[in-house]
Structure formats: structure tokens, C-alpha cells
Amino acid sequence: MLRRDRWALAGAITVAVLGVAAVAADLLTAIEGQDPYTYRSEVLDPQTGGPAGALGGVSGEHWFGVEPLSGRDLFAIVVHGARTSFLIGLAATAVSVVLGVLIGAGAGYLGGWVDRVVTWIADVFLGFPYLVFMIALGAVVPSSVSRPLLLIVVIGFFGWPSIARIVRAQVLTLKKRNFVSAARILGASPRQVFRAELLPNLWAPIIVVATLSIPGKIGLEAALSFLGVGIPQPTPSWGRAISTAVEWVVTDPMFLFFPGGALFLATWGFTVFGDGLRDALDPKTEVRR
């Protein structure tokens, strides 16, 4: 049972806390009295460009300190960056799941040349250097195009093959079951068989694989923003905040601690929760933690 898995519960609580922080980012920054878009030179050391105070400028006014060179509030950047990362991670996962389920179920149910073509295309996509493609695409796409929407579409599009493989394998097993054969004999169309017979038995693996794929997509968005082709300034992003902090980590590691810690907690939380969810939904697996 999921309730007995302490690691999974810890991951779920971590994800829930970060999710609440993302949803309530405006309220939290209003309580602090800051926002992620205001540049404040008065809180910086004019000689170095770093914060004038110790520990990255941590104070009652700036709970996580301030960002070097810009003076923007780091707490506001982290909580608003959670909103950015969760939005892109969840939306890109939804795109991957929809494509993966439709393509994988179609390949497994129809079989024949459709199955062979889908399997070949999935292998090509899995071997394709998509990160290089995303970097190149981010560099050439005009700034007028919504960057969050672009990231959602591109990251989601390249995420379908792994989901399609899992769904295809499940469908290949399910379509041999008696209840599916009975539905076809009674004249049910392929759409009706998929909706009424196959899909209800696919929900468990779909939920598990979706949960496990979210941290990878959050990390990919952060990596692209770190490389400068993801979320542009001044939109808050964990990856961009980490990129800025790397140049100052020797001087003061506090700049890296908060955005890096938030990214770690998000990916860790989704991973251990998804792992526990997989064990809970698989009757053949016994949780031993």
C-alpha cells in the first residue's frame, strides 16, 4: 500500500508543498513584500555586483537573499520559478502521454505493418539527439513565439516513444484476453474496444509512467534555461537562476543553494512518489523499504 511507503509519502508531501508554493507564488511574495521582476541596485555591492549583505543578502526583506548583478529577490524567483517548471513539466507530460497512448495503443491493437512502422519510428526518436535539436531550435525561433508554449510542444513531442512502448506492450497482452475478444465478436468497433475495454485497464501504467516522466521534463526545461535557450529573462526559471549562480558559487554558494535545492526536491519528490505508486499499483511487487 502507498500509505505504508514512507519514501513515497515524503515525495508526495514534497511535491504538494512545491505545488502549493507555485500556485500561491503571488501571495507568498506579497507577504514578503517583493516580486521577481524588480531590479534593485541599492542592495548590491557597487564594487563586486554581489549582495551588500552576508549569506547572499538574506534578511527579513529578502528571505533567500538577492540575485547577483540584478538585485532581484531570490525567494520570489524560486517560488515563481516553481510555477514555470511545474507548468512546463506537467503540460509537456500531458502532450507526451496523449501521443504515447494513442500511438502505442494503435500499434499494439492493429499490429502488422502499423506496429512495425511505429516501432521503427520510436527507435529513431529514442536514438535522436533531441537535446541538440532543442538547443538549435531555441536559438533560431523568433522571440515573438511564446517560449513556454514552444518548450511544452517540443519537450512533449519528443517524450512519446517511451510511453508508446509501454502502452503497446500492455495492449499486446490485453487484446488476447477473453473480454476483448468477446467485445469484437459482438461487433464493437476498434474505438469502442479501446475506450471501453482497453483504456480502463491501461490507467494504472499510464499514471505511473506519467508521474515518473514529470521530473525528467522539469529537469530538461531547467537544462535548456541553464544553457540560455529556455525561458528568457526576466521570467523566473530555476535553470536560469542556477546558470547565474554558477559564476558566483565560489564567492557565495547561497545563490546556488536555493534554486538548486528547489530543483532537486522537485525531481526527487516526483521520482520517489512515482516509484512508490508503481509498487502500489503492481500487485506482484511488495514494497520493502
Side-chain angles (χ1 to χ4, degrees), residues 47-83:
Q47 296 182 348
T48 64
L55 298 176
V58 174
S59 65
E61 294 183 357
H62 303 282
W63 298 346
F64 288 0
V66 296
E67 188 180 52
L69 301 179
S70 69
R72 296 193 301 166
D73 184 74
L74 193 56
F75 174 78
I77 292 176
V78 170
V79 294
H80 280 270
R83 178 181 294 179

Side-chain angles (χ1 to χ4, degrees), residues 109 174-188 193 197-198:
Y109 185 75
L174 289 172
K175 75 176 186 178
K176 298 177 182 178
R177 303 286 293 272
N178 293 333
F179 63 90
V180 176
S181 300
R184 286 186 295 189
I185 292 173
L186 292 174
V193 171
E197 307 297 339
L198 296 180

Side-chain angles (χ1 to χ4, degrees), residues 140-216:
V140 301
V141 170
S143 58
S144 58
V145 177
S146 172
R147 194 50 59 98
L149 179 60
L150 176 65
L151 290 176
I152 290 171
V153 172
V154 174
I155 294 175
F157 178 73
F158 280 96
W160 70 263
S162 58
I163 298 175
R165 278 187 162 190
I166 294 173
V167 173
R168 170 185 172 273
Q170 292 291 322
V171 171
L172 286 174
T173 301
L174 289 172
K175 75 176 186 178
K176 298 177 182 178
R177 303 286 293 272
N178 293 333
F179 63 90
V180 176
S181 300
R184 286 186 295 189
I185 292 173
L186 292 174
S189 66
R191 179 182 300 179
Q192 291 172 327
V193 171
F194 173 74
R195 185 179 66 250
E197 307 297 339
L198 296 180
L199 189 58
N201 293 280
L202 292 173
W203 278 122
I206 290 173
I207 292 173
V208 170
V209 73
T211 305
L212 290 172
S213 68
I214 292 173

Side-chain angles (χ1 to χ4, degrees), residues 23-68:
V23 173
D26 293 327
L27 176 61
L28 293 174
T29 51
I31 294 174
E32 187 197 25
Q34 305 294 334
D35 68 81
Y37 302 105
T38 301
Y39 290 73
R40 299 184 59 183
S41 58
E42 68 273 13
V43 299
L44 301 175
D45 186 331
Q47 296 182 348
T48 64
L55 298 176
V58 174
S59 65
E61 294 183 357
H62 303 282
W63 298 346
F64 288 0
V66 296
E67 188 180 52

Side-chain angles (χ1 to χ4, degrees), residues 2 6-19 268-270 272-274:
L2 186 62
R6 291 176 293 178
W7 283 108
L9 288 177
I13 292 172
T14 301
V15 170
V17 170
L18 290 173
W268 174 84
F270 274 112
V272 297
F273 174 65

